[in-house]
């Protein structure tokens, strides 16, 4: 009799444990979903999440289909937060998709080089809208703004990414 009573008690505790586990899982999953939505909204406000620059669909362009036009040692005049004149010196590369339909008429090193002064003017106007400190804090945002302006300049998105390297502040 004692063994049967003990078995029934264990069975009841097991059923209660399973019910409490299900209740806990339901509440954790619901809370986890709400936490995920909160983190997503915070990240989007802070511009942390990875998103597409300029609202253009990002395509995975293989390196074999990419041509880079390098613009070395660009110097852009900016204002520092203390009001003094500052300079940003950088190397900039325009990554072009060789398989894009507009590449043949607009792309390639020779054709892009013909627009070199216009591209530099666009780069200067975009970067000079920001202070040196803003550029340091949000280089990715400025890069996206540059990409959008250059894509608008060409009227095409065959230039799909801009790389900025060797940044020096003076």
């Amino acid at each position: 009799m004692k063994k049967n009573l003990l078995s029934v008690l264990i069975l009841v505790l097991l059923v209660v444990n399973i019910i409490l586990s299900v209740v806990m899982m339901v509440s954790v999953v619901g809370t986890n979903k709400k936490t995920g939505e909160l983190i997503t909204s915070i990240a989007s406000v802070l511009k942390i999440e990875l998103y597409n620059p300029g609202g253009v669909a990002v395509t995975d362009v293989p390196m074999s289909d990419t041509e880079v036009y390098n613009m070395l040692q660009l110097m852009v005049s900016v204002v520092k937060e203390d009001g003094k004149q500052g300079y940003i010196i950088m190397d900039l590369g325009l990554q072009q998709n060789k398989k894009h339909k507009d590449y043949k008429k607009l792309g390639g090193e020779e054709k892009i080089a013909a627009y070199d002064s216009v591209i530099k003017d666009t780069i200067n106007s975009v970067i000079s809208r920001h202070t040196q400190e803003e550029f340091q804090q949000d280089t990715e945002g400025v890069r996206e703004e540059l990409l959008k302006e250059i894509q608008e300049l060409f009227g095409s998105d065959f230039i799909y990414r801009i790389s900025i390297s060797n940044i020096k502040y003076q």
Side-chain angles (χ1 to χ4, degrees):
M1 182 77 174
K2 284 187 178 185
K3 289 182 181 180
N4 285 339
L5 187 60
L6 191 57
S7 296
V8 170
L9 181 62
I10 290 173
L11 180 65
V12 168
L13 288 175
L14 220 133
V15 170
V16 169
N17 188 16
I18 290 173
I19 291 171
L20 289 176
S21 295
V22 168
V23 168
M24 191 169 48
M25 287 303 293
V26 168
S27 66
V28 167
V29 168
T31 304
N32 191 21
K33 185 183 275 187
K34 290 177 186 176
T35 303
E37 291 170 2
L38 177 66
I39 289 172
T40 302
S41 66
I42 290 172
S44 66
V45 168
L46 295 176
K47 296 181 181 176
I48 292 175
E49 86 182 349
L50 295 175
Y51 60 93
N52 178 15
V56 179
V58 173
T59 56
D60 293 328
V61 179
M63 290 303 288
S64 60
D65 295 337
T66 298
E67 181 176 333
V68 179
Y69 177 70
N70 290 311
M71 304 177 80
L72 303 175
Q73 291 294 312
L74 290 172
M75 184 165 76
V76 180
S77 174
V78 292
V79 176
K80 295 182 179 181
E81 287 203 2
D82 60 4
K84 294 182 181 177
Q85 187 72 25
Y87 296 95
I88 300 173
I89 302 169
M90 69 187 126
D91 295 339
L92 194 124
L94 305 176
Q95 296 179 13
Q96 308 165 62
N97 181 356
K98 293 192 285 188
K99 300 280 184 180
H100 194 280
K101 63 181 181 199
D102 293 332
Y103 176 79
K104 289 182 181 176
K105 70 177 179 183
L106 297 171
E109 189 162 345
E110 292 179 12
K111 293 177 183 169
I112 291 285
Y115 297 104
D116 199 48
S117 61
V118 179
I119 294 170
K120 286 180 181 177
D121 181 55
T122 302
I123 292 167
N124 281 326
S125 68
V126 169
I127 293 177
S128 62
R129 291 182 210 152
H130 303 278
T131 65
Q132 185 172 341
E133 288 77 10
E134 289 173 348
F135 185 84
Q136 286 175 320
Q137 292 172 358
D138 191 22
T139 305
E140 189 63 34
V142 174
R143 179 186 326 215
E144 292 167 7
E145 196 175 332
L146 276 170
L147 179 61
K148 182 179 176 187
E149 292 285 330
I150 289 175
Q151 286 175 341
E152 287 178 8
L153 176 70
F154 284 99
S156 176
D157 61 350
F158 76 97
I159 297 175
Y160 68 93
R161 188 171 192 280
I162 293 181
S163 57
I164 300 174
S165 59
N166 298 327
I167 303 171
K168 297 176 187 119
Y169 303 99
Q170 294 183 344

